[in-house]
Amino acid sequence: MGATRPGFHLAAIAIVAAAAAALVGSVGFKGFMPLDQSIVWEGGWRLLGSQVPYRDFLLPAGLVPSAIQAAIFAAAGVSWTGYVAHAAAANAAFAVLVYATLARVFGRPGPPFFYALLSGAALYPPMGTPYPDQHAVMFGALLFMILLWAAGARRPSPLCWFLLPIVAALAYLSKPMPSVWMIACAGVMVVRIATRLPHAPRTSPLALALGVLAVLLPGVAALGATGVADAWLSLVTLPGETGQARLSWAWIAPRLHDIAKPGLVAVVIALVFCWRGLMKSIDRLAIVCWAARASATSLVLGAVLYAWLTDNSPWFGFGALPLAAGLAHFLVEQRFHRFGRLRHQLAWAVGGMMAIQVAVLHLDTSMTRAANELRRADWRAAGDGRVVDPRLAGLRWALPPMVARDLAAEDRPQPYRDLLNVLRGRDGNFVLIGDATILYALAGKPSAFPALWFHPGLAYPGKDDPARARFEAMIARDLARRDVRRVVIDGDHTWTGARATDFAPLAACLREASAITPVGRFRVVELPPGCATR
């Protein structure tokens, strides 16, 4: 990390980690968005209950954060505090890694400290709780951090090359977009850096091969347990078809303005001015400059692709832009080294624009919870989540207006508490047609729908997909083996418009059902025995 005293670095790391964790803690207990904030919780609960991904439920995104959450649930119990702690720890670790990487690149602590603080405000605070997208951005950015460490070393450690395939797998298994782009760019950089390093260890190819084996061997073993067809459907077919469908002007055009952010624009301008004059020699500084330019460019394009090809808040994909800005800052200093103090002013102009972007993000999105549709939530009436269940203690119970629009009582915790009392007091299990899948864990029941969330075409095959028949067979299977005796229907439809009657086995059961218990906007429908298998 340069010649700075170690004590200064330790102090900087402590401040960066504390600030990053505190920012997540300040928003993670503020409101509940049933769809987005249930996904990783539900994945952790399923893994804790020994359900096998892909075999027992489809999982196109979120395996890595779900596995981490399962470990936290196992160690500390199921709670919202443990849920937020996961996001806070990930955010703190990311900010510290940004500091360590940039400190190695710059050789001094000032700019790295600044951009690490911005990173801690940009990655997880817009969400507040674990989410596949942020983990994918985090691991994708880590690929470039490892390459920057390798580029700046006199003799790169074989550990760098060994870790690359493992981190790439963690990124993809968090979420394919934007991981696919970042993995491809990192692969190109591996070849270029390895061939340009003047003292590249001969063990580098072996270390890289061992890293690939460290991914493939457990992966092949896991496929034996999950089944190749279901894993392929989740990991390749569903995200691939979704991405292909979005590669159209009709999808991208309304999202073009999402990249009009001051920090992103400043980084692009800096990279354009720094594009020439780098990597003309093979000395270590030239290699670091090239790696910094390639990494920053890859991170910026990854953020742009995320904004244009996903249906989430673009801020979820912008968490690595402060790292890109830090690299652009370094490149401006190197490109204009003959300009004396002016080069620092030009470089800090990039940092200033990124700071404005992050400040707007924090004040307008993170603190208002706008990315989770909670900007207009009724915070005055928000009670404590412990009213629903003690494990939600500390959560300010406010829901997005879209969830509450059909029934005013929905925005209060009482219907959820009453529903849990009904579910706990009756024998057998239930299947939920709704977004608040945290209810399975709170009721102490195994999840009984073979998809992690409701999103036709992405979380499970759409109605016209040839794989739909296989998925509906999984529904019928789970209704029988999970001892499902009732369907809980939340409102008229889910956030994405799914209804119970969209699924043939459930539609057949509901036609025979008669006993219905209303609980607020919920309907608890008792099912006749064996209805799904007739």
Side-chain angles (χ1 to χ4, degrees), residues 38-289:
S38 291
I39 291 174
V40 174
W41 172 294
E42 168 70 348
W45 174 248
R46 286 175 183 261
L47 296 179
L48 185 65
S50 300
Q51 292 194 24
V52 178
Y54 316 124
R55 186 192 71 189
D56 293 333
F57 61 98
L58 301 183
L59 186 64
L63 176 60
V64 172
S66 295
I68 296 172
Q69 193 59 51
I72 294 173
F73 282 164
V78 176
S79 72
W80 195 264
T81 298
Y83 199 41
V84 175
H86 174 182
N91 201 50
F94 178 72
V96 167
L97 288 169
V98 169
Y99 175 81
T101 302
L102 291 180
R104 185 178 181 88
V105 170
F106 277 89
R108 65 185 198 274
F113 182 72
F114 176 76
Y115 291 107
L117 289 176
L118 294 185
S119 296
L123 181 67
Y124 250 114
M127 181 66 193
T129 52
Y131 200 56
D133 304 54
Q134 274 82 353
H135 270 62
V137 170
M138 177 177 66
F139 287 117
L142 183 55
L143 288 171
F144 300 107
M145 291 189 243
I146 293 172
L147 288 169
L148 286 164
W149 276 76
R154 294 183 185 277
R155 289 184 62 84
S157 169
L159 182 62
C160 291
W161 309 111
F162 175 76
L163 288 175
L164 283 171
I166 297 173
V167 174
L170 292 174
Y172 189 88
L173 293 175
S174 293
K175 189 171 184 179
M177 172 57 68
S179 299
V180 169
W181 168 259
M182 293 184 172
I183 293 168
C185 291
V188 173
M189 287 181 63
V190 166
V191 176
R192 189 76 186 274
I193 292 175
T195 56
R196 287 281 188 154
L197 283 173
H199 303 295
R202 295 180 180 179
T203 55
S204 297
L206 176 60
L208 188 64
L210 289 175
V212 172
L213 285 176
V215 172
L216 289 180
L217 293 179
V220 171
L223 286 176
T226 63
V228 175
D230 289 333
W232 185 266
L233 175 64
S234 285
L235 294 174
V236 179
T237 304
L238 290 174
E241 290 177 348
T242 300
Q244 185 176 3
R246 293 173 179 177
L247 286 173
S248 67
W249 180 249
W251 176 272
I252 295 174
R255 294 166 172 79
L256 289 176
H257 70 280
D258 287 338
I259 65 170
K261 303 291 188 289
L264 191 154
V265 172
V267 172
V268 171
I269 293 173
L271 291 174
V272 169
F273 276 100
C274 296
W275 195 257
R276 298 178 61 186
L278 299 174
M279 201 68 174
K280 289 187 176 180
S281 64
I282 58 172
D283 63 273
R284 193 147 48 93
L285 179 59
I287 294 170
V288 170
C289 287

Side-chain angles (χ1 to χ4, degrees), residues 174-468:
S174 293
K175 189 171 184 179
M177 172 57 68
S179 299
V180 169
W181 168 259
M182 293 184 172
I183 293 168
C185 291
V188 173
M189 287 181 63
V190 166
V191 176
R192 189 76 186 274
I193 292 175
T195 56
R196 287 281 188 154
L197 283 173
H199 303 295
R202 295 180 180 179
T203 55
S204 297
L206 176 60
L208 188 64
L210 289 175
V212 172
L213 285 176
V215 172
L216 289 180
L217 293 179
V220 171
L223 286 176
T226 63
V228 175
D230 289 333
W232 185 266
L233 175 64
S234 285
L235 294 174
V236 179
T237 304
L238 290 174
E241 290 177 348
T242 300
Q244 185 176 3
R246 293 173 179 177
L247 286 173
S248 67
W249 180 249
W251 176 272
I252 295 174
R255 294 166 172 79
L256 289 176
H257 70 280
D258 287 338
I259 65 170
K261 303 291 188 289
L264 191 154
V265 172
V267 172
V268 171
I269 293 173
L271 291 174
V272 169
F273 276 100
C274 296
W275 195 257
R276 298 178 61 186
L278 299 174
M279 201 68 174
K280 289 187 176 180
S281 64
I282 58 172
D283 63 273
R284 193 147 48 93
L285 179 59
I287 294 170
V288 170
C289 287
W290 181 87
R293 187 188 68 184
S295 297
T297 302
S298 300
L299 291 171
V300 167
L301 291 177
V304 170
L305 289 174
Y306 181 92
W308 287 352
L309 297 179
T310 71
D311 201 22
N312 293 323
S313 167
W315 291 114
F316 290 176
F318 288 177
L321 286 181
L323 171 60
L327 296 173
H329 182 134
F330 169 76
L331 291 170
V332 170
E333 289 187 347
Q334 300 303 316
R335 181 69 176 84
F336 299 100
H337 65 280
R338 297 178 182 176
F339 287 67
R341 291 184 178 180
L342 180 60
R343 66 173 180 150
H344 295 294
Q345 295 170 356
L346 291 172
W348 277 111
V350 177
M353 297 302 286
M354 184 56 68
I356 292 172
Q357 175 176 313
V358 173
V360 170
L361 161 66
H362 187 67
L363 295 175
D364 186 60
T365 301
S366 299
M367 294 304 294
T368 64
R369 303 286 283 112
N372 284 134
E373 311 293 341
L374 285 160
R375 184 192 296 275
R376 294 180 177 82
D378 185 5
W379 297 110
R380 294 172 301 176
D384 194 293
R386 72 172 69 246
V387 175
V388 176
D389 187 279
R391 288 167 288 187
L392 300 182
L395 171 63
R396 292 184 65 189
W397 190 264
L399 281 77
M402 179 177 173
V403 175
R405 67 185 179 186
D406 295 329
L407 186 68
E410 177 64 18
D411 202 28
R412 299 197 300 269
Q414 187 67 36
Y416 288 84
R417 183 177 67 179
D418 293 344
L419 176 64
L420 287 172
N421 289 335
V422 169
L423 297 175
R424 291 167 183 155
R426 297 184 182 181
D427 293 334
N429 199 5
F430 69 98
V431 62
L432 173 69
I433 307 302
D435 297 309
T437 52
I438 65 170
L439 291 170
Y440 285 112
L442 298 179
K445 306 287 188 179
S447 304
F449 190 79
L452 202 56
W453 72 96
F454 288 91
H455 190 154
L458 177 58
Y460 52 85
K463 290 183 178 180
D464 298 327
D465 194 310
R468 180 71 174 208

Side-chain angles (χ1 to χ4, degrees), residues 1-9 99 107-110:
M1 292 187 185
T4 306
R5 287 180 296 180
F8 186 94
H9 285 304
Y99 175 81
R108 65 185 198 274

